[in-house]
Amino acid sequence: MTQSGAKKKRMHVKRTKGKDVEKDRQSSPFSTHERVTKTKRESIDRNFTKYKKQQHVDE
């Protein structure tokens, strides 16, 4: 598999200057992003209120 241009540059800097750029990154061993999906009840309520708000005109 080929390497990206950015990775090639990082490897070159590591070889020539001895500086590992990847160590400077702010990283945590776990994900800080909280993934939340709607429950079944929330999705049903959303659809109910979504169509309830529309004005229906009887002719």
Side-chain angles (χ1 to χ4, degrees):
M1 213 171 166
T2 61
Q3 295 175 349
S4 67
K7 186 169 185 176
K8 288 179 184 178
K9 288 179 185 179
R10 286 194 304 269
M11 290 173 60
H12 176 73
V13 169
K14 190 174 182 180
R15 273 196 317 268
T16 56
K17 298 181 181 177
K19 181 180 178 186
D20 192 6
V21 185
E22 293 178 344
K23 288 183 180 178
D24 296 337
R25 293 184 184 159
Q26 296 289 331
S27 64
S28 61
F30 56 89
S31 176
T32 57
H33 180 75
E34 184 176 339
R35 292 168 178 85
V36 179
T37 57
K38 291 183 180 179
T39 60
K40 185 175 181 180
R41 182 80 249 161
E42 288 173 341
S43 60
I44 290 171
D45 289 341
R46 184 183 180 326
N47 281 333
F48 179 72
T49 58
K50 181 177 169 182
Y51 294 108
K52 191 176 181 182
K53 290 178 185 176
Q54 293 179 358
Q55 296 292 330
H56 296 288
V57 178
D58 293 335
E59 292 183 25

